[in-house]
Amino acid sequence: MSDPAWSAVDDYIVDKLIGEDAALETALANNRRAGLPPIDVSLAQGKMLQLLARGVGAKRILEIGTLGGYSSICLARALDEDGVLVTLELEGDYAAVARGNLDHAGVGHRVDIRVGPACDTLAGMCVEAETAFDFVFIDADKDNYPAYLDYAIRLSRPGTMLIFDNVVRAGEVIDPRSGDPKVAGTRALYDALQDNPRIDATAMQTVGSKKWDGFLLALVR
Ligand code: SAH
Ligand code: DHB
Ligand code: MG
């Protein structure tokens, strides 16, 4: 399901409010050349993440799912010089592309890319009692979303903002019989948040160049 007007309006939004971004365009070209899947956030979505992180005054940001670092560049731009973004990626090849893109964008010195299955990395971070994060963007394998929620809470402080990507999936999220494990994982996230005393949450449906999907936004109490 898609309407050409969705992308046209995204173009209008970018033209009016964001403008061309050479570093992000270079990142997309590098990702394409390296064969990474084109599943980055859109420019308008990346700017939204940047403004949210900046708006909460984030000094420490955690991202789960780096890909080629498109959203990482957006998040790193929200930080002051002394801020840090820790971003987790399964694939070493993707992380190498992301490293190049982040350095080229001039924010690489603020970004720590950790390679491996995110659940393992996150478990290690909990054991090490890593300083709490102020903002967490979760965008990796959707079947692990409930586990990522648990880890994100453990690595948060009261007031930390959590954002999950892809929580609508062209409406498939309301289909309990969907055989797609991404849908099942996303539904398990909603189940975990239903009447969860630790979290205050909502989700916003979006249309645009990423078709019909949405973000879930949560605050840790
Ligand atoms: N946030 C990126 C897009 C991420 S796509 C952007 O908007 O630019 C999802 C990423 O999660 C992929 O790069 C994939 O390799 C990674 N991923 C999948 N399973 C993972 C896992 N178990 N641990 C860490 N990363 C994982
Ligand atoms: C997919 C993953 C994403 O994070 C996204 O934003 C869009 C698509 C996917 O795995 O197909
Ligand atoms: Mg996504």
Side-chain angles (χ1 to χ4, degrees), residues 90-105:
L90 177 65
E91 306 287 348
D93 294 355
Y94 295 3
V97 175
R99 171 48 63 200
N101 286 333
L102 285 154
D103 289 347
H104 175 261

Side-chain angles (χ1 to χ4, degrees), residues 77-97:
R77 285 173 173 170
L79 294 164
D80 290 333
E81 274 309 315
D82 58 345
V84 57
L85 166 65
V86 177
T87 182
L88 313 186
E89 173 54 48
L90 177 65
E91 306 287 348
D93 294 355
Y94 295 3
V97 175

Side-chain angles (χ1 to χ4, degrees), residues 181-210:
K182 293 177 182 173
V183 172
T186 305
R187 288 177 60 82
L189 171 69
Y190 282 96
D191 289 344
L193 290 169
Q194 191 171 15
D195 306 317
N196 186 324
R198 294 290 312 277
I199 299 276
D200 208 10
T202 188
M204 293 305 300
Q205 304 186 64
T206 55
V207 294
S209 56
K210 296 223 47 188

